[in-house]
Structures are given as C-alpha cells and as structure tokens.
Amino acid sequence: MTATFIVPDMTCGHCEKTVRGALGEALPNAAVTIDLSVHRVTVEGDAAKAEEAIREAGYTPQPVAA
C-alpha cells in the first residue's frame, strides 16, 4: 500500500531528515520518497502508522487521495 501526504510545515533539509527518521522508526522496511519542493511524502506501507509517525515528529501531514 502506498500512502502520500502533503506536509506543508516540512520546509527544509532538517525537516526532511526528521520526517524520514520518524518514518524509518515506525516503518523500518518501508520505502520513503520525499519531494521537499512540493512538501510531498510518499511511503510504502501502513498509512495510519506513517501519518502518526509524522505527527509525532511535530508535523501536520495531510493525506492525498489516491
């Protein structure tokens, strides 16, 4: 399952690293793609876990409809 989020408050390389780290802890084997220029995060895996991990890292993910 692929989950895509817009994370408007992910604005810099440090933010990207934080989000990537949080997702790596929550979903260790998931493929994560981040396009910082459009604030898009795509995760292969459990969407609910991914969203929770991003929120716990201090960001506001907005799910994108498939």
Side-chain angles (χ1 to χ4, degrees):
M1 171 189 231
T2 300
T4 302
F5 303 94
I6 297 298
V7 187
D9 47 356
M10 180 181 67
T11 59
C12 67
H14 181 264
C15 296
E16 178 181 350
K17 183 177 179 181
T18 301
V19 169
R20 192 178 295 278
L23 290 169
E25 285 185 27
L27 301 163
N29 298 319
V32 176
T33 304
I34 297 178
D35 184 344
L36 188 58
S37 67
V38 293
H39 310 281
R40 182 181 303 265
V41 177
T42 305
V43 183
E44 296 291 331
D46 186 320
K49 278 189 179 181
E51 184 172 358
E52 180 180 346
I54 296 169
R55 285 191 191 286
E56 287 181 2
Y59 298 91
T60 52
Q62 301 168 354
V64 175

